[in-house]
Amino acid sequence: MSEIDPTTQTELEAAVFRRLVAHLRDRTDVQNIDMMNLAGFCRNCLSNWLKDAADARGLGLTKDQSREHVYGMPYDEWKRQHQTEAGPDQQARFDASQAKSH
């Protein structure tokens, strides 16, 4: 991508982010714990990274606002509608991965 100017690169990266967020909004069957176990990040991570980027620019984006942007609805509502209880295997994999990375 070295021949692409920085503005276009930023626009492409923003388009990819929007597409990822839209994909995750459609895939409510995919639980955050599964994403964490497989990829090491989840919807909450994306919303935290969005808030970090806003903070770095001095913008007043709250944690709730960044989560609502990623989830497409208030976080508590998403949890009520889509989040399931983690099973013992999921939780064990999560705990093991957290122990390795921290």
Side-chain angles (χ1 to χ4, degrees):
M1 289 187 38
S2 61
E3 63 277 350
I4 296 176
D5 66 273
T7 300
T8 301
Q9 180 175 339
T10 298
E11 291 168 355
L12 293 172
E13 291 166 349
V16 170
F17 174 79
R18 288 189 297 270
R19 188 169 178 181
L20 174 60
V21 167
H23 178 76
L24 292 174
R25 285 179 184 174
D26 288 341
R27 290 298 311 269
T28 57
D29 60 309
V30 178
Q31 297 294 302
N32 281 337
I33 194 164
D34 294 324
M35 292 176 62
M36 287 297 295
N37 287 341
L38 292 172
F41 78 98
C42 68
R43 294 170 183 87
N44 289 337
C45 296
L46 288 175
S47 68
N48 291 341
W49 298 339
L50 179 62
K51 183 176 180 345
D52 291 346
D55 289 349
R57 298 196 60 179
L59 302 173
L61 185 67
T62 68
K63 182 177 180 177
D64 288 338
Q65 290 170 326
S66 66
R67 282 189 172 179
E68 187 166 341
H69 181 75
V70 169
Y71 284 90
M73 64 182 68
Y75 180 57
D76 288 338
E77 184 179 330
W78 191 92
K79 288 193 313 184
R80 273 193 310 277
Q81 291 183 22
H82 305 293
Q83 187 168 314
T84 60
E85 191 70 32
D89 291 343
Q90 290 171 309
Q91 191 63 52
R93 284 193 307 274
F94 178 78
D95 292 343
S97 71
Q98 293 301 296
K100 291 178 189 174
S101 66
H102 295 291

